[in-house]
Amino acid sequence: QVGLVESGGGLVQTGGSLRLSCAASGNIRSINVMGWYRQAPGKQRDLVATITSGGTTHYVDSVNGRFTISRDNAKNTVYLQMNDLNPEDTAVYYCNAYRSVFGVGVDSWGQGTQVTVSS
């Protein structure tokens, strides 16, 4: 089992910055990839960024160059630094941990943290 707790969301003006944190607990060594997803009202949950256990990162085009995903293994925490925010970034942001259990992929999710960008 893996537990995830997000923090750091809030209200910010266009052009501002926020840093989200995701603290992982439980069977952390089994995690292959951690990532951030977001879900705007009335829309599906979409990928934002991922980071592998080896440190390889991936970003969707809409956030590339503005967002940075990183991890602190000593703190079992993954971060999402978000700069130059705009209203289209408004959403609930969810932390995700992906692991392979006996060859079967298992996703764990946090409870989500609200990010609101005002124009």
Side-chain angles (χ1 to χ4, degrees):
Q1 293 279 12
V2 171
L4 302 171
V5 178
E6 301 105 331
S7 61
L11 174 64
V12 65
Q13 292 184 333
T14 295
S17 299
L18 284 174
R19 189 177 80 156
L20 305 182
S21 300
C22 173
S25 61
N27 192 5
I28 298 168
R29 294 182 180 272
S30 67
I31 297 174
N32 302 113
V33 183
M34 292 197 70
W36 289 95
Y37 289 69
R38 64 186 180 186
Q39 187 169 17
K43 296 187 177 181
Q44 67 181 20
R45 188 174 299 186
D46 291 326
L47 174 68
V48 175
T50 60
I51 185 165
T52 69
S53 56
T56 300
T57 58
H58 169 75
Y59 302 92
V60 296
D61 288 345
S62 60
V63 307
N64 199 17
R66 299 188 298 124
F67 292 10
T68 302
I69 189 170
S70 62
R71 61 194 299 161
D72 185 334
N73 291 330
K75 296 182 178 180
N76 297 325
T77 299
V78 172
Y79 303 98
L80 185 68
Q81 177 67 44
M82 304 185 294
N83 299 328
D84 192 23
L85 286 160
N86 59 67
E88 289 69 38
D89 296 314
T90 294
V92 178
Y93 284 70
Y94 294 91
C95 181
N96 169 271
Y98 175 86
R99 57 200 174 103
S100 180
V101 181
F102 299 112
V104 177
V106 177
D107 283 300
S108 299
W109 297 93
Q111 82 284 357
T113 185
Q114 176 70 47
V115 171
T116 303
V117 185
S118 63
S119 57

